[in-house]
Amino acid sequence: APPPTTTTTTTTAAEPAGATSAPAVVTTELIQKYLDENQQLILAILENQNVGKLVECAKYQTKLQENLMYLAAIADAQPVKGSE
């Protein structure tokens, strides 16, 4: 099978809080990295919630929110398909 294609998009998305610098080019690999990290954050939130570690939950929730806002900014910067 051929390797998956990489979509490269230039965006002016706002960088997440605490980020050192936003990449000028957003790739599917970068987006997948954020999605994978978000999955791990959600699992960590659930685990810590189950054992009552609410301070740790809050830390993970803050990072998850930053990631979600970053991904939303990338999505908002994309052209709408079918509007040509």
Side-chain angles (χ1 to χ4, degrees):
T5 58
T6 300
T7 303
T8 302
T9 304
T10 302
T11 181
T12 56
E15 62 185 72
T20 53
S21 64
V25 177
V26 176
T27 63
T28 52
E29 287 82 5
L30 177 67
I31 293 170
Q32 189 61 53
K33 175 185 159 285
Y34 274 89
L35 293 173
D36 293 341
E37 181 179 11
N38 289 353
Q39 180 181 16
Q40 293 305 310
L41 288 167
I42 291 167
L43 293 173
I45 290 165
L46 289 172
E47 289 173 16
N48 283 286
Q49 214 171 30
N50 289 337
V51 295
K53 294 184 177 180
L54 302 182
V55 174
E56 286 82 357
C57 279
K59 291 177 187 175
Y60 292 129
Q61 287 171 331
T62 299
K63 179 61 178 164
L64 177 62
Q65 181 66 25
E66 290 171 1
N67 287 357
L68 292 172
M69 294 298 292
Y70 181 69
L71 291 171
I74 291 170
D76 288 345
Q78 299 305 304
V80 178
K81 293 186 178 183
S83 65
E84 288 95 33

